[in-house]
């Protein structure tokens, strides 16, 4: 026994509202915004601060090397956390205004310097710290350049 397919524009299923038909080019696609503007403003400050505290703990732990915690160790941790958070906030405000190449390069420099400084706090040589930092920077540049190249136009505006 064969059944016919329902015709388009027929009765909607219970619990669903009918959707007006339109062409795909008429609808602008936008991801849903789950949080309000206040939450985004708080996250713009809170995320760099939390990341800075984690980074400061990492630097202090690398510097300490398993020894006892000292006042200078705490000062190094909180100082590096403060610098990390301030530079991260500045990049979050300034980098989106740059072209996609410069945008990726700024984040690459930030990640490379942050990683290089944290790695230099271990007992490794300066040459190894520089080489490891360059490797991390290279990988960061490839990832960020790809991300910005596929999601921004040549002027740094997001492609929708």
């Amino acid at each position: 026994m064969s059944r016919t397919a329902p015709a388009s524009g027929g009765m909607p299923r219970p619990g669903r509202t009918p959707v007006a038909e339109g062409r795909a080019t008429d609808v602008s696609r936008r991801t849903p915004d789950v949080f309000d503007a206040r939450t985004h403003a708080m996250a713009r400050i809170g995320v760099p601060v939390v990341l800075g505290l984690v980074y400061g703990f990492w630097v202090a732990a690398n510097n300490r090397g398993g020894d006892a915690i000292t006042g200078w160790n705490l000062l190094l941790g909180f100082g590096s956390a403060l610098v990390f958070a301030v530079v991260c906030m500045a990049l979050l405000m300034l980098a989106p205004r740059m072209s996609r190449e410069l945008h990726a390069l700024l984040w690459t420099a930030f990640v490379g310097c942050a990683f290089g400084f944290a790695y230099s706090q271990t007992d490794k040589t300066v040459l190894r710290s520089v080489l490891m930092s360059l490797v991390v920077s290279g990988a960061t540049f490839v990832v960020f350049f790809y991300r910005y190249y596929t999601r921004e136009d040549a002027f740094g505006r997001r492609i929708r």
Side-chain angles (χ1 to χ4, degrees), residues 62-138:
N62 283 349
N63 182 269
R64 187 168 52 96
D67 293 339
I69 298 173
T70 63
W72 292 111
N73 192 253
L74 288 174
L75 182 64
L76 175 68
F78 282 116
S80 57
L82 178 69
V83 170
F84 184 93
V86 168
V87 173
C88 187
M89 281 187 249
L91 277 175
L92 285 172
M93 287 190 311
L94 296 177
R97 295 185 178 116
M98 306 294 173
S99 65
R100 59 187 172 202
E101 293 85 8
L102 190 57
H103 193 171
L105 200 58
L106 286 172
W107 280 107
T108 298
F110 174 67
V111 169
C113 290
F115 181 81
F117 179 71
Y119 195 79
S120 72
Q121 297 302 310
T122 62
D123 292 332
K124 306 297 182 200
T125 64
V126 173
L127 180 63
R128 182 171 175 130
S129 297
V130 169
L131 289 176
M132 291 296 291
S133 178
L134 288 174
V135 167
V136 169
S137 295

Side-chain angles (χ1 to χ4, degrees), residues 4-5 21 24 30 49 86 93 110 118 151:
T4 60
E21 290 186 30
R30 184 173 173 222
V49 168
V86 168
M93 287 190 311
F110 174 67
R151 290 185 171 86

